Amino acid sequence: MTAPPGEMMVESVAAPAVVQPEGRSLWRSGWIRLRRDKPAMISGVFLILLALIAIFAPVMVSLLGHPPNEPHYDLLDPNTAAPRGRFGGMSWHYLLGVEPVNGRDIFSRTVYGARVSLLVALLATATAVIIGTVLGMLAGYLGGLWDTIIARLMDLLLSVPSVLFAIAIVAVIPNKAFGLSGSGLRIGVLVFVIGIFAWPYIGRIVRGQVLSLREREFIEASRSLGAGTFTVMFRELLPNVAAPVLVYATLLIPTNILNEAALSYLGVGVRPPTASWGDSLAVASHGWYSIEPIFMLAPGLAIFATVLAFNLLGDGLRDAFDPRGGR
């Protein structure tokens, strides 16, 4: 699976303090710098539109397409099982053509595939952020045995081949477990596998930030006033590590989209006939892309555009909250 960005960051070195103009918070100054970054703002608008498309996929498909799992054998050549017409059977009624063998609407499946990819990526990122932030703060603030245990756990998880782990879990998990079944269970497995192997990257960043913050005057003052461990961690430290965590989470989402697509391509993603960008690529790779490239272009471009938008937005956020100033 693709290694998340920032893996080579030195965990023990924190960014220098941010000097903000008088009367301006870090978040306000960051937003002002972000608004000047046109690629990041355009990417943000694109991602909002993509999220709306995923949420209202049934409405869009009812207006511009056909049900994603509905076959249209009458649009296929009975001798070759390939779509009739040029460009995979593209027409005003089938904007991106139809799939070979079953004739399902590619436009509808691409729109519905956005739901799975975004859902898995966002939930896996949220899982990684929550676990990584909490354990990273515990390791950095408490130190000693806690730090050793959590650091070795992060090293252990980073050494495990996550793709093989996912394949092994899918091979042994029953058709129904934890109150889930079918595609819901597969989505849960994807979120677990991707999230559990992604949190150490965030954990290392948070740990490095906390190591530099725990001896600061405001932490000492809070402790001297009787604040407990968790009060200091969540009231004093958490707001100070929120900005780098937000930036890294934005850069982690596209990595998780690629991971979901890769796992679906290998057959350990959602169960057919549920639409998924990775599954669509798998179908196209079975020799059909050589007949009509549109079969691979539609899901491939969807993945490319989404990952690029998240990366540009993440770069914009990183520049906006960079202590040395944005662009």
Side-chain angles (χ1 to χ4, degrees):
M1 286 164 57
T2 309
E7 179 180 353
M8 301 303 296
M9 293 180 64
V10 180
E11 59 184 85
S12 60
V13 179
V18 183
V19 179
Q20 299 296 334
E22 186 177 355
R24 248 183 223 177
S25 67
L26 169 65
W27 296 100
R28 181 171 176 79
S29 299
W31 168 244
I32 292 174
R33 285 194 292 266
L34 182 63
R35 284 190 304 180
R36 301 192 191 113
D37 191 333
K38 290 183 179 179
M41 295 302 293
I42 293 173
S43 298
V45 172
F46 171 81
L47 292 173
I48 292 173
L49 292 176
L50 180 65
L52 292 175
I53 289 173
I55 293 171
F56 298 105
V59 177
M60 176 167 287
V61 166
S62 67
L63 294 174
L64 301 174
H66 303 78
N69 299 327
E70 182 179 275
H72 299 90
Y73 298 110
D74 57 309
L75 300 176
L76 305 176
D77 187 320
N79 297 318
T80 63
R84 293 172 176 170
R86 301 180 61 187
F87 305 113
M90 291 176 62
S91 67
W92 288 110
H93 298 289
Y94 298 89
L95 299 179
L96 296 178
V98 296
E99 287 185 342
V101 180
N102 49 43
R104 295 179 298 194
D105 189 344
I106 293 178
F107 170 79
S108 299
R109 293 189 64 76
T110 302
V111 170
Y112 269 85
R115 283 184 150 190
V116 173
S117 293
L118 292 179
L119 179 64
V120 171
L122 292 175
L123 289 179
T125 302
T127 301
V129 166
I130 293 171
I131 298 175
T133 301
V134 172
L135 293 185
M137 286 196 301
L138 283 173
Y141 183 69
L142 297 179
L145 182 61
W146 282 97
D147 189 17
T148 302
I149 293 174
I150 294 174
R152 297 295 76 78
L153 178 61
M154 290 190 286
D155 293 338
L156 175 65
L157 288 174
L158 292 175
S159 66
V160 175
S162 51
V163 173
L164 296 179
F165 185 81
I167 295 174
I169 284 187
V170 171
V172 300
I173 201 166
N175 292 328
K176 187 174 183 180
F178 313 110
L180 300 172
S181 61
S183 293
L185 179 59
R186 287 292 186 92
I187 289 175
V189 171
L190 288 175
V191 170
F192 170 77
V193 172
I194 296 174
I196 209 68
F197 286 103
W199 76 259
Y201 297 100
I202 290 183
R204 283 182 164 184
I205 291 175
V206 172
R207 176 182 177 273
Q209 294 284 330
V210 172
L211 282 174
S212 68
L213 291 171
R214 68 180 184 181
E215 304 302 331
R216 295 279 184 89
E217 291 80 359
F218 70 96
I219 299 295
E220 294 290 345
S222 182
R223 282 198 293 249
S224 67
L225 293 174
T229 298
F230 288 99
T231 300
V232 172
M233 284 174 53
F234 290 99
R235 280 195 174 183
E236 306 295 342
L237 292 174
L238 183 58
N240 285 277
V241 301
V245 168
L246 173 64
V247 172
Y248 191 82
T250 308
L251 294 171
L252 188 61
I253 292 174
T255 302
N256 290 341
I257 290 176
L258 292 175
N259 290 337
E260 183 277 329
L263 292 173
S264 294
Y265 182 87
L266 294 173
V268 294
V270 294
R271 291 181 180 274
T274 304
S276 166
W277 289 342
D279 180 68
S280 296
L281 284 175
V283 172
S285 67
H286 294 160
W288 294 106
Y289 68 91
S290 60
I291 300 174
E292 285 294 351
I294 189 63
F295 301 149
M296 184 167 282
L297 283 177
L301 288 176
I303 295 173
F304 171 78
T306 304
V307 170
L308 178 63
F310 271 114
N311 280 327
L312 289 175
L313 179 60
D315 288 342
L317 288 172
R318 182 177 56 196
D319 292 340
F321 293 101
D322 190 334
R324 289 158 295 191
R327 280 189 276 231

